[in-house]
Amino acid sequence: MATQTNKNQHVSWRRRLFGYLINIFVFGALFIGTYVLIIYLSMPSLDAILYEQRPATIVFVDNTGTELRSSNRIMGTPVSVETLPPHVWQAIIAIEDKRFFEHGPIDLRGTTRALFVNLFRGQFAAGGSSITQQTAKNVFLSRDKKISRKVQELILAHWLENRFDKNQILDLYMNRVSLVGGMRGIDAAARMMFQTPANNLTIAQAAQIAAMLKAPTTYSPLKNPDKNIARARTILTEMVRQKYITLNQARVAASQLGPAYSVADTNIYRYWTDYVMDEVESRLGGLNTDIYVYTTIDRDLQEKISNILPKKVGDYQGSVVAMSRDGAVRAMSGGIDYQASQFNRATAMRQPGSAFKPVVYLVALENGMTPETYVNDSPFAIGDYNPKNYNERYYGDISLATAFAKSVNSVPLQLTERFGIGSVLNMAGRLGVGTKLRREYSTVLGASEMTLMDLINIYAVIWNNGESVRPYTINKITDFKGNVLYERNPSDPIQVLRSQTVAYMTELLSDVVATGGTGHRAMANGVLGGKTGTSNNNRDAWFVGATGDYVIGVWVGNDDFSPMSSKITGGTIPAEIFHDIVK
C-alpha cells in the first residue's frame, strides 16, 4: 500500500513539474512575444526610413564638366552591384560576410563561431553580424548597445531579406554605410579619399575602402594609413582565397596601397556657388530632385584669384570678378576668407568713384567729341556742388584723352552740364545699370552705389564691340539621370554703342594703363586697357580692366565703410591685383 502511495506521489510530482515547465514556457513565450511586438510597434515606418526625405543634392560643375563642389550632399552617387566593377563589392563581401549569398538574414555559423571566440578570449574580439544585419543597423537604427536595438536589428534583417534580394541589400548597404565626414556610401568615400567615383576604383582602392567598414576612423587611410593598409592587405588575401582575384592581381594591388589625401579646400568656390544658387532657385523654384548645375566658372582662374587676393589686400577686404566678353562669369571671389565671412562683396553696393566716368565720356564721344578734343581742367562747380581734383591739382587746357587718363573731376562735370544729366543716366541704362542711379551730379563722379558686378557689365559692353551683355553663370541644369531641367538659350545681342564710339573709348581706356595714367601699375602683356576708381576719403578703391579673353574687376575697402589709408587708390592695390592675375 505504501509503495503504491509513493508511486502516486512521484507521478503527481512529475505532473506538477511538467505543468510548471509548460506554464513557464507559455508565459515566457507570451512575454517574449509581447516584448517583440511592443518593439515592433514602436518602430517607425520602415518604408519612410528606407526612402528618407533629405535636402536635394546640388552638384556644381565647372566649365570643363568637372565636379567643383556639392551642396547638401550626405550621400555619394548611388551605386549597385550591376554597375560597379566586381572587385569593389567583392572586397566588401570577402572581409565582412563571405557567406552572404548563402545564408539567410542571420549567419548562424558565423554567429556561433564568433560567440565561441569571444567566450574563449573573454572579450568581444569577433563579430558575427551579417551584411543584412549591418544594413539594418546602418540604415534604420542607432548605435545604442541595448537588447531592444538588437531585437529591432533581427526584425529588420528578416524584413529586408523578405523584401529585397541579396544584390539589392548589398546595394543598400554600399549606399548607406557611414565612412567619412558625416557622408554616407562608398561613392562618397571614393570621392573623398581618392577623388574618383566608386565605379572607377582600383582593386587596391576598393580594399582600402572595405578596410574602413570595421571602424571608419580607426582604419581611415587619411588618419591612420598604416592600419588601413595592413587591413587592406588582409582583404586582398581573403579575395584570393575566395577566388575573386588572382595572386598576381593581389600582389599588384598590394604595391599600390598608400595613404589617401583629402580633396582641396572647396571654400574658395563658396562665394561663387552661393551666388549661383540664387539663379538656380530663380530658374527651378523649389528643388525636389538631386541636380547637376553646369556653371561657367574657370577653375584655374578662380584658384589663381583666390590665392592672390588675400596676399595683396592686407588688413582690408576685397573682391574680384572675371567675365568673358559674352557675359559668362568665369571667376568670383567675394572676400579674402569665406570661413571668416560669408558676405559676398562682389554684390555689395559701394560707390564706384571715377570708375563710373566712362559712362559720361561715352555720351561726349557719341555727341561728336574725340580723344583729341580739348577741354579745360579748372575748378568747376554746379550749384553748391564743387568737388576738387585729386591733390587739388589742375592742368588747364588738355585733351579729352589726357583728362580721362588722369581722372580729373572737373571735365566730366563740364560734359554733364553740356549734354545733360539725363543723357548720362540714359547711357547708364543702355549699359545695364541706369535704374540704380540717383539723378544727381554727384553720380557723375561715382557717388551712386553699385555692385562690382554692375560695374563690370558697363565695361563688358565696351569691350564686346558695343553689343549688350547679360552676365550669366549657368549653362544648363540636369537631374542625376541626365534629364535637362534648364538650358541657357541666349538671345541675340543688341548694338548699344556705335563702332566709332567703341574705338574711341577703347583708346581712352588703353591710355589709362600706359605710362603716366592712373592705372599704369595694371599694365602687363595682353592688357587692353582699364580704369581706376576711388571714392571719397578712400573708402573704396577699384580697378576694371580687360585682356583679350576677360573683363576683370577688383574692389578693395572696409566692410564698415571706414576710410582706408590715403595712399590706397584704385591705381595701387586694385591695379596691382589685376596685374598679378593677368601677367
Side-chain angles (χ1 to χ4, degrees):
M1 187 71 177
T3 301
Q4 184 63 37
T5 300
N6 290 338
K7 186 177 181 180
N8 290 338
Q9 289 176 343
H10 183 69
V11 171
S12 176
W13 177 84
R14 284 193 300 175
R15 287 177 177 173
R16 286 199 300 274
L17 178 61
F18 184 72
Y20 290 145
L21 292 175
I22 290 294
N23 288 335
I24 290 171
F25 177 80
V26 171
F27 284 109
L30 287 172
F31 174 79
I32 293 173
T34 302
Y35 178 72
V36 171
L37 180 62
I38 291 171
I39 291 176
Y40 179 79
L41 293 175
S42 66
M43 291 170 62
S45 166
L46 301 181
D47 283 337
I49 302 177
L50 186 63
Y51 305 107
E52 64 178 342
Q53 294 296 312
R54 58 177 178 80
T57 295
I58 301 102
V59 177
F60 298 93
V61 179
D62 69 13
N63 65 333
T64 68
T66 304
E67 182 175 327
L68 196 69
R69 69 175 307 276
S70 59
S71 176
N72 298 332
R73 174 175 269 178
I74 61 173
M75 292 178 169
T77 301
V79 299
S80 71
V81 172
E82 294 180 354
T83 60
L84 285 172
H87 61 255
V88 176
W89 58 265
Q90 287 167 350
I92 295 171
I93 294 294
I95 196 65
E96 291 296 308
D97 189 354
K98 64 183 67 176
R99 297 182 58 254
F100 172 67
F101 291 104
E102 300 170 17
H103 61 67
I106 302 169
D107 183 5
L108 294 177
R109 186 191 302 177
T111 301
T112 303
R113 182 178 63 254
L115 179 62
F116 277 108
V117 169
N118 292 335
L119 288 174
F120 178 76
R121 297 186 181 180
Q123 61 180 359
F124 185 80
S129 294
S130 67
I131 282 181
T132 305
Q133 288 175 269
Q134 292 181 53
T135 302
K137 180 170 60 179
N138 288 331
V139 175
F140 301 102
L141 304 174
S142 68
R143 297 286 179 176
D144 296 338
K145 294 183 178 180
K146 298 178 180 178
I147 295 176
S148 60
R149 193 203 60 77
K150 195 64 178 179
V151 173
Q152 288 178 328
E153 180 185 303
L154 296 175
I155 294 172
L156 287 167
H158 281 83
W159 180 81
L160 286 170
E161 292 271 351
N162 288 326
R163 177 86 182 260
F164 304 108
D165 63 34
K166 288 287 190 178
N167 282 352
Q168 291 173 319
I169 293 172
L170 185 55
D171 292 348
L172 192 59
Y173 176 74
M174 292 189 295
N175 286 316
R176 301 289 279 274
V177 64
S178 296
L179 293 174
V180 287
M183 295 177 67
R184 287 180 276 170
I186 64 170
D187 183 75
R191 293 174 189 272
M192 179 70 75
M193 303 295 179
F194 304 113
Q195 293 79 61
T196 188
N199 57 13
N200 287 342
L201 286 171
T202 64
I203 294 175
Q205 292 167 341
Q208 289 193 259
I209 287 180
M212 298 173 64
L213 296 171
K214 184 177 183 179
T217 301
T218 302
Y219 293 97
S220 167
L222 285 171
K223 299 179 179 179
N224 297 299
D226 292 341
K227 288 186 177 181
N228 175 271
I229 291 170
R231 185 162 175 80
R233 289 181 183 277
T234 299
I235 292 171
L236 293 173
T237 300
E238 285 298 319
M239 293 178 75
V240 173
R241 286 177 179 171
Q242 296 169 47
K243 299 182 179 180
Y244 287 136
I245 59 176
T246 65
L247 181 60
N248 187 58
Q249 286 177 306
R251 286 172 176 166
V252 172
S255 69
Q256 296 171 344
L257 298 174
Y261 300 95
S262 60
V263 295
D265 179 19
T266 59
N267 277 329
I268 64 172
Y269 310 116
R270 289 295 300 275
Y271 291 113
W272 167 254
T273 55
D274 288 355
Y275 182 80
V276 172
M277 268 307 299
D278 290 339
E279 186 174 351
V280 171
E281 291 172 355
S282 70
R283 299 292 182 187
L284 301 184
L287 297 178
N288 54 15
T289 185
D290 298 337
I291 60 172
Y292 282 107
V293 183
Y294 292 83
T295 75
T296 58
I297 192 170
D298 182 316
R299 181 193 298 258
D300 292 338
L301 183 60
Q302 177 68 35
E303 291 177 358
K304 186 174 186 179
I305 289 171
S306 298
N307 287 330
I308 291 172
L309 184 61
K311 295 175 184 177
K312 297 293 292 188
V313 300
D315 295 329
Y316 303 118
Q317 265 294 351
S319 62
V320 178
V321 173
M323 181 191 295
S324 296
R325 293 188 181 190
D326 69 341
V329 183
R330 298 301 185 188
M332 174 184 287
S333 188
I336 60 175
D337 185 352
Y338 184 86
Q339 286 186 310
S341 171
Q342 289 78 53
F343 177 61
N344 190 345
R345 293 150 190 89
T347 60
M349 299 291 285
R350 306 288 300 215
Q351 291 184 339
S354 296
F356 181 78
K357 289 177 181 176
V359 177
V360 185
Y361 281 82
L362 284 170
V363 173
L365 295 171
E366 274 208 340
N367 282 275
M369 300 183 78
T370 73
E372 287 72 36
T373 301
Y374 268 77
V375 289
N376 182 264
D377 175 36
S378 58
F380 185 86
I382 297 179
D384 295 332
Y385 187 60
N386 58 345
K388 298 177 175 59
N389 281 348
Y390 187 71
N391 292 333
E392 300 187 24
R393 181 179 178 182
Y394 295 92
Y395 298 93
D397 290 335
I398 55 176
S399 69
L400 207 65
T402 302
F404 189 83
K406 294 185 178 298
S407 198
V408 301
N409 286 334
S410 68
V411 171
L413 288 172
Q414 293 180 49
L415 296 175
T416 301
E417 183 183 48
R418 178 174 176 179
F419 299 112
I421 184 70
S423 297
V424 174
L425 296 179
N426 178 265
M427 175 61 72
R430 288 159 59 186
L431 298 170
V433 297
T435 59
K436 302 178 181 180
L437 305 177
R438 296 189 295 273
R439 195 179 185 86
E440 302 171 358
Y441 275 93
S442 61
T443 293
V444 171
L445 301 184
S448 286
E449 295 82 1
M450 62 177 56
T451 71
L452 181 56
M453 287 294 296
D454 293 332
L455 197 58
I456 287 177
N457 202 71
I458 291 174
Y459 289 82
V461 173
I462 296 169
W463 275 300
N464 193 39
N465 300 317
E467 293 185 345
S468 60
V469 175
R470 287 190 176 184
Y472 67 97
T473 62
I474 299 173
N475 288 315
K476 69 175 180 178
I477 303 172
T478 72
D479 62 20
F480 272 30
K481 295 180 180 179
N483 299 311
V484 176
L485 306 179
Y486 161 79
E487 189 162 17
R488 180 174 177 266
N489 183 23
S491 56
D492 293 333
I494 300 171
Q495 194 67 41
V496 175
L497 302 172
R498 294 195 299 267
S499 58
Q500 186 60 68
T501 303
V502 171
Y504 284 148
M505 178 51 68
T506 53
E507 180 183 333
L508 296 181
L509 292 168
S510 177
D511 289 344
V512 172
V513 299
T515 302
T518 58
H520 66 274
R521 296 189 189 186
M523 191 59 190
N525 289 335
V527 174
L528 302 180
K531 184 70 182 75
T532 60
T534 309
S535 65
N536 288 337
N537 298 316
N538 303 82
R539 289 184 170 86
D540 305 275
W542 310 76
F543 185 84
V544 184
T547 67
D549 297 319
Y550 301 111
V551 179
I552 302 173
V554 183
W555 168 86
V556 174
N558 289 315
D559 287 342
D560 61 1
F561 293 90
S562 61
M564 297 182 289
S565 163
S566 60
K567 296 181 180 179
I568 307 300
T569 66
T572 58
I573 294 177
E576 291 168 4
I577 291 172
F578 175 89
H579 169 272
D580 289 353
I581 292 170
V582 304
K583 69 178 180 182

